[in-house]
Amino acid sequence: MAGGSELLIEEGQGEVRLVRVQGNGCVVLKQGSGFRLTPEQAAFIRIDGQAYRGDVEVFVNPLGTAVVVNELPIEEYLKGVVPLELGPKLFPYAEALSTQAIAARTFAVVHLGTRAGRGFDLYGDTRSQVYGGVAAEDPLSDQAINKTRGLVSTYRGEPIVSLYSSTCGGVTEAFDLIFRGEPIDYLKGGVTCFDQDSQYYSWKETIDLDEIQESLNRYAGVGRLVRLLPIAYGRSERTVEMEFVGSAGTKMLKGNDIRFALGLRSNLITDMDAVEGSDGYLRQIRVEGRGWGHGVGLCQMGAVDLARKGRTYDEILRHYYPGTAIAKWY
Ligand SMILES: [Zn+2]
């Protein structure tokens, strides 16, 4: 395929998807079929106008979904991830960017092979890590990636679950209380963090419940809300269990589902007032809170603060993932 060619993906009916390669007419793919595109030397393949390093595979996976996979070495993938997860223009701190590079590399390594049935390893968005291809790349994050080439965070010799989020709001939280898995030794939470400079350190929101009824239905499914009762708190004082009482029943939500249901930036709620309508249903909630994201593991704004204070990437990683080491994985 010549450099500069365009690949345009169109959704079709049922299990068949249309894929058009500009200049080469139209290819119709059926389930189980596909093709691979390899760019000529030093050229990039463009998908919907965006340039990507490496090869592109297009196929219909066993689930009947049309999949476009950008296949490339981890180090090249990271060039399109690190600057979107921690912006080098806003945060030009080498040690913070190196910290982000190692966390993102570890995340990628851990997920290799985990979605074999779907035909790829990682999503290109927040379901895995945000990936923007060539357009996202920045010399400062490239430097951080090159300097830490092959390095991952490990615990007892294995790459860790390197969760990270924007702003923990002062203290990190335990993995099992937010993600509801088994407890993880290096993700117990309670790590002190100085992220007051983050614009999301503290926030105030007035939420009209009419506007979030869809997410309430998806996560709670109790109809119109009558009452919200915080039940349990984590080490960072995040609300980790909350009872949702509604017109159609009562449901206990745990961990991340609480903030997803209410459309909040984080579970670290410091104050909440509910406004009741004349019909007895809640009309509005006024919430004050701290942080943005799940607050488990590495805090990106805290890493920026530590880097600014002269701490190195290994010190920062071991601060947020206590008991871990850094190892050369390849
Ligand atoms: Zn923090």
Side-chain angles (χ1 to χ4, degrees):
M1 179 178 175
S5 291
E6 288 273 347
L7 183 65
L8 299 165
I9 312 296
E10 285 182 1
E11 288 211 355
Q13 295 296 313
E15 294 176 338
V16 182
R17 297 291 185 271
L18 296 179
V19 178
R20 284 190 293 151
V21 181
Q22 197 169 312
N24 290 334
C26 179
V27 183
V28 179
L29 294 180
K30 295 197 189 326
Q31 191 163 353
S33 68
F35 58 86
R36 170 189 286 264
L37 301 165
T38 303
E40 288 173 357
Q41 215 171 7
F44 302 124
I45 294 174
R46 288 177 184 275
I47 305 172
D48 291 338
Q50 293 289 318
Y52 296 92
R53 293 178 184 278
D55 290 1
V56 170
E57 274 196 304
V58 183
F59 55 91
V60 181
N61 75 10
L63 303 174
T65 309
V67 181
V68 182
V69 180
N70 184 192
E71 193 176 310
L72 75 175
I74 289 178
E75 298 299 312
E76 293 191 9
Y77 157 75
L78 290 174
K79 290 179 177 182
V81 170
V82 173
L84 293 184
E85 291 290 356
L86 189 67
K89 297 276 188 290
L90 278 175
F91 308 107
Y93 305 101
E95 295 301 311
L97 292 166
S98 294
T99 301
Q100 179 66 66
I102 295 173
R105 183 182 295 109
T106 307
F107 188 94
V109 165
V110 162
H111 285 86
L112 291 180
T114 55
R115 295 193 179 88
R118 292 177 186 269
F120 57 90
D121 299 307
L122 295 153
Y123 288 98
D125 57 29
T126 54
R127 285 172 288 177
S128 297
Q129 307 188 104
V130 182
Y131 170 63
V134 176
E137 297 178 8
D138 185 285
L140 270 186
S141 43
D142 282 359
Q143 249 175 44
I145 293 159
N146 292 335
K147 193 179 86 177
T148 61
R149 186 182 168 80
L151 296 182
V152 298
S153 281
T154 60
Y155 183 72
R156 294 181 178 160
E158 291 300 319
I160 66 165
V161 178
S162 59
L163 289 170
Y164 56 87
S165 61
S166 160
T167 305
C168 73
V171 191
T172 67
E173 190 49 80
F175 170 81
D176 48 305
L177 296 181
I178 295 295
F179 290 94
R180 294 177 292 151
E182 290 294 308
I184 295 179
D185 284 349
Y186 50 85
L187 295 177
K188 284 186 179 141
V191 172
T192 310
C193 177
F194 295 92
D195 55 6
Q196 291 89 336
D197 285 348
S198 166
Q199 58 178 313
Y200 303 108
Y201 177 73
S202 64
W203 44 263
K204 226 182 239 192
E205 293 264 21
T206 299
I207 296 166
D208 286 319
L209 292 178
D210 279 351
E211 288 171 19
I212 62 159
Q213 194 60 47
E214 199 180 310
S215 59
L216 280 174
N217 290 344
R218 184 157 6 118
Y219 290 95
V222 294
R224 295 184 65 191
L225 275 186
V226 176
R227 208 162 59 239
L228 286 170
L229 291 174
I231 302 292
Y233 301 92
R235 287 187 75 175
S236 63
E237 293 176 25
R238 276 174 173 72
T239 303
V240 294
E241 289 182 21
M242 186 182 262
E243 195 172 77
F244 286 62
V245 182
S247 56
T250 295
K251 187 162 179 193
M252 178 83 86
L253 291 194
K254 295 182 178 183
N256 267 331
D257 286 355
I258 297 169
R259 70 182 172 107
F260 294 151
L262 295 175
L264 299 175
R265 286 198 182 90
S266 98
N267 280 41
L268 217 176
I269 298 165
T270 52
D271 196 28
M272 184 159 81
D273 281 324
V275 181
E276 205 175 290
S278 54
D279 55 6
Y281 294 115
L282 299 188
R283 194 161 52 82
Q284 252 183 6
I285 50 170
R286 295 182 192 138
V287 190
E288 289 182 30
R290 296 208 310 267
W292 188 19
H294 51 69
V296 177
L298 172 69
C299 171
Q300 292 166 306
M301 290 303 101
V304 165
D305 174 74
L306 289 174
R308 238 193 246 137
K309 289 171 177 161
R311 306 278 291 274
T312 59
Y313 64 76
D314 51 327
E315 288 173 328
I316 299 171
L317 286 161
R318 284 185 284 112
H319 177 72
Y320 289 102
Y321 304 124
T324 63
I326 290 171
K328 194 139 178 79
W329 203 247
Y330 53 81

